[in-house]
Amino acid sequence: MEQKIILTVDVVLFTLVEGGLQVLLLKRTHEPYMDQLALPGGYIHAETDVDSRAGARRVLKEKTGLVSPYLEQLYSFSGGARDPRGWSVSIAYYALVDSTVLIEQGPTACTLLPVDDLPQLPFDHNRIIAFAVERLRNKSAYSALPCYLLPPAFTLTELQKTYEMVIGNKLDKSAFRRKLNDLDFLEPVAEVRTGVHRPAQLYRIRPTRNLVLFDRLISK
Amino acid sequence: MEQKIILTVDVVLFTLVEGGLQVLLLKRTHEPYMDQLALPGGYIHAETDVDSRAGARRVLKEKTGLVSPYLEQLYSFSGGARDPRGWSVSIAYYALVDSTVLIEQGPTACTLLPVDDLPQLPFDHNRIIAFAVERLRNKSAYSALPCYLLPPAFTLTELQKTYEMVIGNKLDKSAFRRKLNDLDFLEPVAEVRTGVHRPAQLYRIRPTRNLVLFDRLISK
DNA sequence: ATATTTAGTTGCATTTTGCCACTAAGTAGA
DNA sequence: TCTACTTAGTGGCAAAATGCAACTAAATAT
């Protein structure tokens, strides 16, 4: 007893600009909801996608040209009400990307909108985005996740500002640096960022497969 | 362009006995892998299940007779290699239940096996269980999750032992109680547990919708 | 009464954190 | 080149949180 169930993947791609956290939306090229802004998504290709993660990566690449340094399965949204075509499942992923890469290598016709001020979107995409924002905010408070919103090398002040924008409160510079030092997941690179004032040491994430997790939330 | 993709839900039901964390397995009643031990699972019923969570709840109820106080979506496992019938998706859930309820109300023909010593199981069920164990262990270290492995009212010593068995290290009694006191998510009930020695106050989780999360891991 | 066992609390040294002031290294302008 | 300014980065210390151990409390059994 099997049923005709629609299976798609959707990707919530985040980036950070001066105004705050943004999500990438594209004009839909097919029915339903043709021409409306929505999350990049598409059908699973059973012949070519080894699993849903590969499908999400492919969809992101095909629709935006981007390869994200961080792609994680978010949740599977399902039910008979979320898609007019019938009972459906969307395996949703979220991805983080540096805004300069997005602007340089991203699609020409994409829209970046602030996550806290979105229009009404098709399907349950508002719910998916809200879910992804919550996950990103929660996980950022106890992990190295915000690093992936920055270019490969960044200064500690840039990283602190990124944490502050994502988790939504100010952090103390000295406590922040002490924590980074204890956690020891960053290493200096042989460059500094020069500006009009004192140059700042650049750092990168130590090459490691997994996301670094903390043993407590960063709060102040 | 749609494909014939198999969609199922599987449920990893945990309980805690003296020997440690156990997972419930059932003899499969259908092909493939008929008569082999596997996770309780089944097809989504698009006509009756409002979403995959309802499907998981229904499958658990139908196959084991149990209603869990805690049911959470774990992950969606997918690909062409995990099921001999073809490209498939399993939306996996995990659930926690008190062992006395399981023994009294659970199915007559079920098997409880320790999570650290499982035989080879069909599909990718070993992987699903490993994933669920990891989630449970990680999340237990910063949440009230282990409470759901106990009956509705329990003593603080019982709760401490539960945390210790799940996260795998000894905790200090006074630090543990201080933390519970600060977090304030338990309330005493009007009963004590009497044994051969000093009676112990019974507590329950304060009625709240959501799982209580801590701001740091409990470690010692 | 006393020994024993488990429940539950209290005190204190140690560690971690939040806060603030300080030094360092650059630019710009007088 | 001296001074003011800005951002980078560090150091010191009071306050808070934690780990550890000893203590009291309430039951049973002999």
PDB file of all heavy atoms in Angstrom, chain B residues 10-43:
ATOM      1  N   ASP B  10       9.943   5.535  11.069  1.00  0.00           N
ATOM      2  CA  ASP B  10      10.469   4.543  12.005  1.00  0.00           C
ATOM      3  C   ASP B  10      10.610   5.215  13.359  1.00  0.00           C
ATOM      4  O   ASP B  10      10.890   6.409  13.435  1.00  0.00           O
ATOM      5  CB  ASP B  10      11.847   4.035  11.529  1.00  0.00           C
ATOM      6  CG  ASP B  10      11.717   3.107  10.328  1.00  0.00           C
ATOM      7  OD1 ASP B  10      11.018   2.098  10.441  1.00  0.00           O
ATOM      8  OD2 ASP B  10      12.321   3.408   9.276  1.00  0.00           O
ATOM      9  N   VAL B  11      10.394   4.446  14.408  1.00  0.00           N
ATOM     10  CA  VAL B  11      10.446   5.013  15.755  1.00  0.00           C
ATOM     11  C   VAL B  11      11.475   4.266  16.599  1.00  0.00           C
ATOM     12  O   VAL B  11      11.430   3.038  16.707  1.00  0.00           O
ATOM     13  CB  VAL B  11       9.073   4.957  16.448  1.00  0.00           C
ATOM     14  CG1 VAL B  11       9.150   5.574  17.841  1.00  0.00           C
ATOM     15  CG2 VAL B  11       8.012   5.660  15.617  1.00  0.00           C
ATOM     16  N   VAL B  12      12.399   5.020  17.178  1.00  0.00           N
ATOM     17  CA  VAL B  12      13.364   4.445  18.118  1.00  0.00           C
ATOM     18  C   VAL B  12      12.803   4.699  19.514  1.00  0.00           C
ATOM     19  O   VAL B  12      12.783   5.836  19.977  1.00  0.00           O
ATOM     20  CB  VAL B  12      14.746   5.111  17.973  1.00  0.00           C
ATOM     21  CG1 VAL B  12      15.752   4.454  18.917  1.00  0.00           C
ATOM     22  CG2 VAL B  12      15.233   5.036  16.532  1.00  0.00           C
ATOM     23  N   LEU B  13      12.315   3.643  20.142  1.00  0.00           N
ATOM     24  CA  LEU B  13      11.728   3.795  21.479  1.00  0.00           C
ATOM     25  C   LEU B  13      12.748   3.375  22.525  1.00  0.00           C
ATOM     26  O   LEU B  13      13.181   2.224  22.564  1.00  0.00           O
ATOM     27  CB  LEU B  13      10.463   2.947  21.628  1.00  0.00           C
ATOM     28  CG  LEU B  13       9.776   3.157  22.976  1.00  0.00           C
ATOM     29  CD1 LEU B  13       8.952   4.422  22.975  1.00  0.00           C
ATOM     30  CD2 LEU B  13       8.919   1.965  23.340  1.00  0.00           C
ATOM     31  N   PHE B  14      13.113   4.335  23.367  1.00  0.00           N
ATOM     32  CA  PHE B  14      14.095   4.066  24.421  1.00  0.00           C
ATOM     33  C   PHE B  14      13.410   3.840  25.755  1.00  0.00           C
ATOM     34  O   PHE B  14      12.397   4.477  26.062  1.00  0.00           O
ATOM     35  CB  PHE B  14      15.020   5.262  24.611  1.00  0.00           C
ATOM     36  CG  PHE B  14      15.989   5.492  23.502  1.00  0.00           C
ATOM     37  CD1 PHE B  14      15.901   6.626  22.711  1.00  0.00           C
ATOM     38  CD2 PHE B  14      17.023   4.585  23.263  1.00  0.00           C
ATOM     39  CE1 PHE B  14      16.815   6.857  21.698  1.00  0.00           C
ATOM     40  CE2 PHE B  14      17.943   4.818  22.249  1.00  0.00           C
ATOM     41  CZ  PHE B  14      17.834   5.957  21.458  1.00  0.00           C
ATOM     42  N   THR B  15      14.021   2.989  26.557  1.00  0.00           N
ATOM     43  CA  THR B  15      13.649   2.919  27.958  1.00  0.00           C
ATOM     44  C   THR B  15      14.898   2.583  28.749  1.00  0.00           C
ATOM     45  O   THR B  15      15.918   2.180  28.195  1.00  0.00           O
ATOM     46  CB  THR B  15      12.515   1.906  28.212  1.00  0.00           C
ATOM     47  OG1 THR B  15      11.957   2.174  29.489  1.00  0.00           O
ATOM     48  CG2 THR B  15      13.028   0.479  28.162  1.00  0.00           C
ATOM     49  N   LEU B  16      14.807   2.804  30.057  1.00  0.00           N
ATOM     50  CA  LEU B  16      15.982   2.589  30.892  1.00  0.00           C
ATOM     51  C   LEU B  16      15.681   1.484  31.896  1.00  0.00           C
ATOM     52  O   LEU B  16      14.675   1.535  32.604  1.00  0.00           O
ATOM     53  CB  LEU B  16      16.316   3.889  31.640  1.00  0.00           C
ATOM     54  CG  LEU B  16      17.705   4.004  32.244  1.00  0.00           C
ATOM     55  CD1 LEU B  16      18.777   3.907  31.171  1.00  0.00           C
ATOM     56  CD2 LEU B  16      17.825   5.334  32.976  1.00  0.00           C
ATOM     57  N   VAL B  17      16.534   0.474  31.934  1.00  0.00           N
ATOM     58  CA  VAL B  17      16.412  -0.571  32.949  1.00  0.00           C
ATOM     59  C   VAL B  17      17.726  -0.595  33.726  1.00  0.00           C
ATOM     60  O   VAL B  17      18.629   0.198  33.433  1.00  0.00           O
ATOM     61  CB  VAL B  17      16.112  -1.957  32.321  1.00  0.00           C
ATOM     62  CG1 VAL B  17      14.798  -1.921  31.548  1.00  0.00           C
ATOM     63  CG2 VAL B  17      17.254  -2.419  31.438  1.00  0.00           C
ATOM     64  N   GLU B  18      17.822  -1.490  34.707  1.00  0.00           N
ATOM     65  CA  GLU B  18      19.021  -1.525  35.551  1.00  0.00           C
ATOM     66  C   GLU B  18      20.284  -1.630  34.694  1.00  0.00           C
ATOM     67  O   GLU B  18      21.292  -1.026  34.981  1.00  0.00           O
ATOM     68  CB  GLU B  18      18.961  -2.693  36.525  1.00  0.00           C
ATOM     69  CG  GLU B  18      17.635  -2.831  37.256  1.00  0.00           C
ATOM     70  CD  GLU B  18      16.509  -3.331  36.336  1.00  0.00           C
ATOM     71  OE1 GLU B  18      16.711  -4.367  35.662  1.00  0.00           O
ATOM     72  OE2 GLU B  18      15.455  -2.663  36.259  1.00  0.00           O
ATOM     73  N   GLY B  19      20.187  -2.421  33.624  1.00  0.00           N
ATOM     74  CA  GLY B  19      21.360  -2.666  32.800  1.00  0.00           C
ATOM     75  C   GLY B  19      21.771  -1.494  31.927  1.00  0.00           C
ATOM     76  O   GLY B  19      22.844  -1.496  31.346  1.00  0.00           O
ATOM     77  N   GLY B  20      20.905  -0.496  31.808  1.00  0.00           N
ATOM     78  CA  GLY B  20      21.244   0.655  30.964  1.00  0.00           C
ATOM     79  C   GLY B  20      20.141   0.947  29.970  1.00  0.00           C
ATOM     80  O   GLY B  20      19.020   0.452  30.079  1.00  0.00           O
ATOM     81  N   LEU B  21      20.493   1.759  28.991  1.00  0.00           N
ATOM     82  CA  LEU B  21      19.551   2.213  27.983  1.00  0.00           C
ATOM     83  C   LEU B  21      19.206   1.066  27.025  1.00  0.00           C
ATOM     84  O   LEU B  21      20.088   0.386  26.524  1.00  0.00           O
ATOM     85  CB  LEU B  21      20.213   3.354  27.219  1.00  0.00           C
ATOM     86  CG  LEU B  21      19.351   4.409  26.554  1.00  0.00           C
ATOM     87  CD1 LEU B  21      18.398   5.054  27.548  1.00  0.00           C
ATOM     88  CD2 LEU B  21      20.256   5.446  25.924  1.00  0.00           C
ATOM     89  N   GLN B  22      17.902   0.892  26.793  1.00  0.00           N
ATOM     90  CA  GLN B  22      17.448  -0.194  25.920  1.00  0.00           C
ATOM     91  C   GLN B  22      16.630   0.382  24.766  1.00  0.00           C
ATOM     92  O   GLN B  22      15.985   1.426  24.908  1.00  0.00           O
ATOM     93  CB  GLN B  22      16.539  -1.149  26.699  1.00  0.00           C
ATOM     94  CG  GLN B  22      17.061  -1.582  28.031  1.00  0.00           C
ATOM     95  CD  GLN B  22      18.004  -2.752  27.933  1.00  0.00           C
ATOM     96  OE1 GLN B  22      19.132  -2.664  28.387  1.00  0.00           O
ATOM     97  NE2 GLN B  22      17.581  -3.836  27.350  1.00  0.00           N
ATOM     98  N   VAL B  23      16.614  -0.348  23.680  1.00  0.00           N
ATOM     99  CA  VAL B  23      15.806   0.064  22.536  1.00  0.00           C
ATOM    100  C   VAL B  23      14.830  -1.067  22.203  1.00  0.00           C
ATOM    101  O   VAL B  23      15.157  -2.242  22.346  1.00  0.00           O
ATOM    102  CB  VAL B  23      16.688   0.449  21.330  1.00  0.00           C
ATOM    103  CG1 VAL B  23      17.516  -0.722  20.848  1.00  0.00           C
ATOM    104  CG2 VAL B  23      15.861   1.033  20.207  1.00  0.00           C
ATOM    105  N   LEU B  24      13.615  -0.687  21.831  1.00  0.00           N
ATOM    106  CA  LEU B  24      12.579  -1.674  21.532  1.00  0.00           C
ATOM    107  C   LEU B  24      12.637  -2.091  20.065  1.00  0.00           C
ATOM    108  O   LEU B  24      12.657  -1.248  19.164  1.00  0.00           O
ATOM    109  CB  LEU B  24      11.200  -1.097  21.854  1.00  0.00           C
ATOM    110  CG  LEU B  24      10.016  -2.019  21.544  1.00  0.00           C
ATOM    111  CD1 LEU B  24       9.002  -1.950  22.680  1.00  0.00           C
ATOM    112  CD2 LEU B  24       9.344  -1.648  20.234  1.00  0.00           C
ATOM    113  N   LEU B  25      12.642  -3.413  19.859  1.00  0.00           N
ATOM    114  CA  LEU B  25      12.626  -3.956  18.502  1.00  0.00           C
ATOM    115  C   LEU B  25      11.474  -4.941  18.365  1.00  0.00           C
ATOM    116  O   LEU B  25      11.073  -5.564  19.337  1.00  0.00           O
ATOM    117  CB  LEU B  25      13.957  -4.661  18.201  1.00  0.00           C
ATOM    118  CG  LEU B  25      15.210  -3.786  18.275  1.00  0.00           C
ATOM    119  CD1 LEU B  25      16.472  -4.635  18.131  1.00  0.00           C
ATOM    120  CD2 LEU B  25      15.186  -2.689  17.204  1.00  0.00           C
ATOM    121  N   LEU B  26      10.946  -5.057  17.150  1.00  0.00           N
ATOM    122  CA  LEU B  26       9.830  -5.969  16.893  1.00  0.00           C
ATOM    123  C   LEU B  26      10.176  -6.884  15.723  1.00  0.00           C
ATOM    124  O   LEU B  26      10.915  -6.483  14.824  1.00  0.00           O
ATOM    125  CB  LEU B  26       8.574  -5.169  16.510  1.00  0.00           C
ATOM    126  CG  LEU B  26       8.003  -4.208  17.561  1.00  0.00           C
ATOM    127  CD1 LEU B  26       6.876  -3.389  16.944  1.00  0.00           C
ATOM    128  CD2 LEU B  26       7.512  -4.981  18.771  1.00  0.00           C
ATOM    129  N   LYS B  27       9.580  -8.064  15.754  1.00  0.00           N
ATOM    130  CA  LYS B  27       9.729  -8.974  14.606  1.00  0.00           C
ATOM    131  C   LYS B  27       8.914  -8.428  13.449  1.00  0.00           C
ATOM    132  O   LYS B  27       7.727  -8.135  13.607  1.00  0.00           O
ATOM    133  CB  LYS B  27       9.206 -10.380  14.974  1.00  0.00           C
ATOM    134  CG  LYS B  27      10.256 -11.314  15.487  1.00  0.00           C
ATOM    135  CD  LYS B  27      10.114 -12.705  14.854  1.00  0.00           C
ATOM    136  CE  LYS B  27      11.321 -13.571  15.125  1.00  0.00           C
ATOM    137  NZ  LYS B  27      11.270 -14.213  16.441  1.00  0.00           N
ATOM    138  N   ARG B  28       9.526  -8.265  12.315  1.00  0.00           N
ATOM    139  CA  ARG B  28       8.810  -7.736  11.151  1.00  0.00           C
ATOM    140  C   ARG B  28       7.762  -8.725  10.662  1.00  0.00           C
ATOM    141  O   ARG B  28       8.010  -9.921  10.580  1.00  0.00           O
ATOM    142  CB  ARG B  28       9.792  -7.396  10.018  1.00  0.00           C
ATOM    143  CG  ARG B  28      10.582  -6.127  10.287  1.00  0.00           C
ATOM    144  CD  ARG B  28      11.527  -5.805   9.156  1.00  0.00           C
ATOM    145  NE  ARG B  28      10.853  -5.631   7.886  1.00  0.00           N
ATOM    146  CZ  ARG B  28      10.235  -4.515   7.503  1.00  0.00           C
ATOM    147  NH1 ARG B  28      10.208  -3.468   8.297  1.00  0.00           N
ATOM    148  NH2 ARG B  28       9.651  -4.446   6.316  1.00  0.00           N
ATOM    149  N   THR B  29       6.587  -8.183  10.311  1.00  0.00           N
ATOM    150  CA  THR B  29       5.474  -9.042   9.888  1.00  0.00           C
ATOM    151  C   THR B  29       5.302  -9.034   8.368  1.00  0.00           C
ATOM    152  O   THR B  29       4.387  -9.659   7.851  1.00  0.00           O
ATOM    153  CB  THR B  29       4.166  -8.557  10.533  1.00  0.00           C
ATOM    154  OG1 THR B  29       3.983  -7.177  10.217  1.00  0.00           O
ATOM    155  CG2 THR B  29       4.221  -8.723  12.041  1.00  0.00           C
ATOM    156  N   HIS B  30       6.151  -8.258   7.660  1.00  0.00           N
ATOM    157  CA  HIS B  30       6.042  -8.185   6.203  1.00  0.00           C
ATOM    158  C   HIS B  30       7.426  -8.260   5.590  1.00  0.00           C
ATOM    159  O   HIS B  30       8.426  -8.011   6.249  1.00  0.00           O
ATOM    160  CB  HIS B  30       5.401  -6.847   5.787  1.00  0.00           C
ATOM    161  CG  HIS B  30       4.003  -6.675   6.305  1.00  0.00           C
ATOM    162  ND1 HIS B  30       2.917  -7.328   5.779  1.00  0.00           N
ATOM    163  CD2 HIS B  30       3.523  -5.911   7.327  1.00  0.00           C
ATOM    164  CE1 HIS B  30       1.823  -6.979   6.435  1.00  0.00           C
ATOM    165  NE2 HIS B  30       2.160  -6.120   7.384  1.00  0.00           N
ATOM    166  N   GLU B  31       7.419  -8.564   4.316  1.00  0.00           N
ATOM    167  CA  GLU B  31       8.645  -8.442   3.531  1.00  0.00           C
ATOM    168  C   GLU B  31       8.919  -6.974   3.283  1.00  0.00           C
ATOM    169  O   GLU B  31       7.981  -6.175   3.272  1.00  0.00           O
ATOM    170  CB  GLU B  31       8.496  -9.170   2.186  1.00  0.00           C
ATOM    171  CG  GLU B  31       8.392 -10.679   2.307  1.00  0.00           C
ATOM    172  CD  GLU B  31       9.657 -11.340   2.856  1.00  0.00           C
ATOM    173  OE1 GLU B  31      10.732 -10.686   2.877  1.00  0.00           O
ATOM    174  OE2 GLU B  31       9.560 -12.498   3.277  1.00  0.00           O
ATOM    175  N   PRO B  32      10.153  -6.541   3.072  1.00  0.00           N
ATOM    176  CA  PRO B  32      11.365  -7.361   3.162  1.00  0.00           C
ATOM    177  C   PRO B  32      11.785  -7.577   4.612  1.00  0.00           C
ATOM    178  O   PRO B  32      11.270  -6.924   5.487  1.00  0.00           O
ATOM    179  CB  PRO B  32      12.398  -6.510   2.433  1.00  0.00           C
ATOM    180  CG  PRO B  32      11.934  -5.109   2.604  1.00  0.00           C
ATOM    181  CD  PRO B  32      10.441  -5.152   2.711  1.00  0.00           C
ATOM    182  N   TYR B  33      12.679  -8.521   4.780  1.00  0.00           N
ATOM    183  CA  TYR B  33      13.225  -8.854   6.109  1.00  0.00           C
ATOM    184  C   TYR B  33      12.162  -9.399   7.055  1.00  0.00           C
ATOM    185  O   TYR B  33      12.236  -9.172   8.260  1.00  0.00           O
ATOM    186  CB  TYR B  33      13.926  -7.635   6.735  1.00  0.00           C
ATOM    187  CG  TYR B  33      15.029  -7.047   5.902  1.00  0.00           C
ATOM    188  CD1 TYR B  33      14.918  -5.758   5.368  1.00  0.00           C
ATOM    189  CD2 TYR B  33      16.196  -7.768   5.635  1.00  0.00           C
ATOM    190  CE1 TYR B  33      15.936  -5.204   4.614  1.00  0.00           C
ATOM    191  CE2 TYR B  33      17.226  -7.212   4.875  1.00  0.00           C
ATOM    192  CZ  TYR B  33      17.080  -5.937   4.364  1.00  0.00           C
ATOM    193  OH  TYR B  33      18.095  -5.393   3.604  1.00  0.00           O
ATOM    194  N   MET B  34      11.138 -10.070   6.504  1.00  0.00           N
ATOM    195  CA  MET B  34      10.094 -10.655   7.345  1.00  0.00           C
ATOM    196  C   MET B  34      10.706 -11.514   8.444  1.00  0.00           C
ATOM    197  O   MET B  34      11.687 -12.221   8.232  1.00  0.00           O
ATOM    198  CB  MET B  34       9.149 -11.530   6.498  1.00  0.00           C
ATOM    199  CG  MET B  34       8.117 -12.227   7.341  1.00  0.00           C
ATOM    200  SD  MET B  34       6.445 -11.977   6.787  1.00  0.00           S
ATOM    201  CE  MET B  34       6.264 -13.301   5.616  1.00  0.00           C
ATOM    202  N   ASP B  35      10.117 -11.393   9.658  1.00  0.00           N
ATOM    203  CA  ASP B  35      10.504 -12.156  10.848  1.00  0.00           C
ATOM    204  C   ASP B  35      11.816 -11.703  11.494  1.00  0.00           C
ATOM    205  O   ASP B  35      12.191 -12.209  12.548  1.00  0.00           O
ATOM    206  CB  ASP B  35      10.593 -13.673  10.556  1.00  0.00           C
ATOM    207  CG  ASP B  35       9.212 -14.249  10.264  1.00  0.00           C
ATOM    208  OD1 ASP B  35       8.230 -13.764  10.836  1.00  0.00           O
ATOM    209  OD2 ASP B  35       9.141 -15.177   9.432  1.00  0.00           O
ATOM    210  N   GLN B  36      12.476 -10.745  10.883  1.00  0.00           N
ATOM    211  CA  GLN B  36      13.695 -10.241  11.538  1.00  0.00           C
ATOM    212  C   GLN B  36      13.337  -9.134  12.511  1.00  0.00           C
ATOM    213  O   GLN B  36      12.337  -8.429  12.346  1.00  0.00           O
ATOM    214  CB  GLN B  36      14.667  -9.691  10.493  1.00  0.00           C
ATOM    215  CG  GLN B  36      15.416 -10.775   9.741  1.00  0.00           C
ATOM    216  CD  GLN B  36      16.626 -10.206   9.019  1.00  0.00           C
ATOM    217  OE1 GLN B  36      16.770 -10.375   7.814  1.00  0.00           O
ATOM    218  NE2 GLN B  36      17.481  -9.514   9.735  1.00  0.00           N
ATOM    219  N   LEU B  37      14.184  -8.965  13.525  1.00  0.00           N
ATOM    220  CA  LEU B  37      14.002  -7.869  14.470  1.00  0.00           C
ATOM    221  C   LEU B  37      14.357  -6.545  13.788  1.00  0.00           C
ATOM    222  O   LEU B  37      15.372  -6.453  13.097  1.00  0.00           O
ATOM    223  CB  LEU B  37      14.916  -8.046  15.678  1.00  0.00           C
ATOM    224  CG  LEU B  37      14.451  -9.016  16.766  1.00  0.00           C
ATOM    225  CD1 LEU B  37      15.492  -9.050  17.879  1.00  0.00           C
ATOM    226  CD2 LEU B  37      13.089  -8.617  17.309  1.00  0.00           C
ATOM    227  N   ALA B  38      13.515  -5.544  14.014  1.00  0.00           N
ATOM    228  CA  ALA B  38      13.771  -4.228  13.425  1.00  0.00           C
ATOM    229  C   ALA B  38      13.019  -3.169  14.230  1.00  0.00           C
ATOM    230  O   ALA B  38      12.215  -3.480  15.111  1.00  0.00           O
ATOM    231  CB  ALA B  38      13.312  -4.208  11.969  1.00  0.00           C
ATOM    232  N   LEU B  39      13.282  -1.922  13.925  1.00  0.00           N
ATOM    233  CA  LEU B  39      12.558  -0.828  14.565  1.00  0.00           C
ATOM    234  C   LEU B  39      11.092  -0.872  14.167  1.00  0.00           C
ATOM    235  O   LEU B  39      10.766  -1.208  13.023  1.00  0.00           O
ATOM    236  CB  LEU B  39      13.136   0.528  14.119  1.00  0.00           C
ATOM    237  CG  LEU B  39      14.531   0.868  14.621  1.00  0.00           C
ATOM    238  CD1 LEU B  39      15.033   2.135  13.948  1.00  0.00           C
ATOM    239  CD2 LEU B  39      14.532   1.029  16.143  1.00  0.00           C
ATOM    240  N   PRO B  40      10.188  -0.500  15.073  1.00  0.00           N
ATOM    241  CA  PRO B  40       8.793  -0.333  14.667  1.00  0.00           C
ATOM    242  C   PRO B  40       8.702   0.765  13.616  1.00  0.00           C
ATOM    243  O   PRO B  40       9.283   1.841  13.791  1.00  0.00           O
ATOM    244  CB  PRO B  40       8.077   0.068  15.957  1.00  0.00           C
ATOM    245  CG  PRO B  40       9.129   0.419  16.945  1.00  0.00           C
ATOM    246  CD  PRO B  40      10.402  -0.227  16.507  1.00  0.00           C
ATOM    247  N   GLY B  41       8.007   0.466  12.526  1.00  0.00           N
ATOM    248  CA  GLY B  41       7.920   1.440  11.442  1.00  0.00           C
ATOM    249  C   GLY B  41       6.802   1.078  10.509  1.00  0.00           C
ATOM    250  O   GLY B  41       6.186   0.016  10.645  1.00  0.00           O
ATOM    251  N   GLY B  42       6.518   1.965   9.590  1.00  0.00           N
ATOM    252  CA  GLY B  42       5.477   1.663   8.626  1.00  0.00           C
ATOM    253  C   GLY B  42       5.292   2.806   7.653  1.00  0.00           C
ATOM    254  O   GLY B  42       5.946   3.843   7.771  1.00  0.00           O
ATOM    255  N   TYR B  43       4.403   2.569   6.710  1.00  0.00           N
ATOM    256  CA  TYR B  43       4.136   3.608   5.717  1.00  0.00           C
ATOM    257  C   TYR B  43       3.339   4.746   6.338  1.00  0.00           C
ATOM    258  O   TYR B  43       2.567   4.547   7.275  1.00  0.00           O
ATOM    259  CB  TYR B  43       3.317   3.036   4.559  1.00  0.00           C
ATOM    260  CG  TYR B  43       4.084   2.060   3.699  1.00  0.00           C
ATOM    261  CD1 TYR B  43       3.736   0.719   3.653  1.00  0.00           C
ATOM    262  CD2 TYR B  43       5.145   2.509   2.927  1.00  0.00           C
ATOM    263  CE1 TYR B  43       4.443  -0.178   2.861  1.00  0.00           C
ATOM    264  CE2 TYR B  43       5.861   1.612   2.129  1.00  0.00           C
ATOM    265  CZ  TYR B  43       5.510   0.272   2.107  1.00  0.00           C
ATOM    266  OH  TYR B  43       6.210  -0.594   1.332  1.00  0.00           O
TER     267      TYR B  43
END
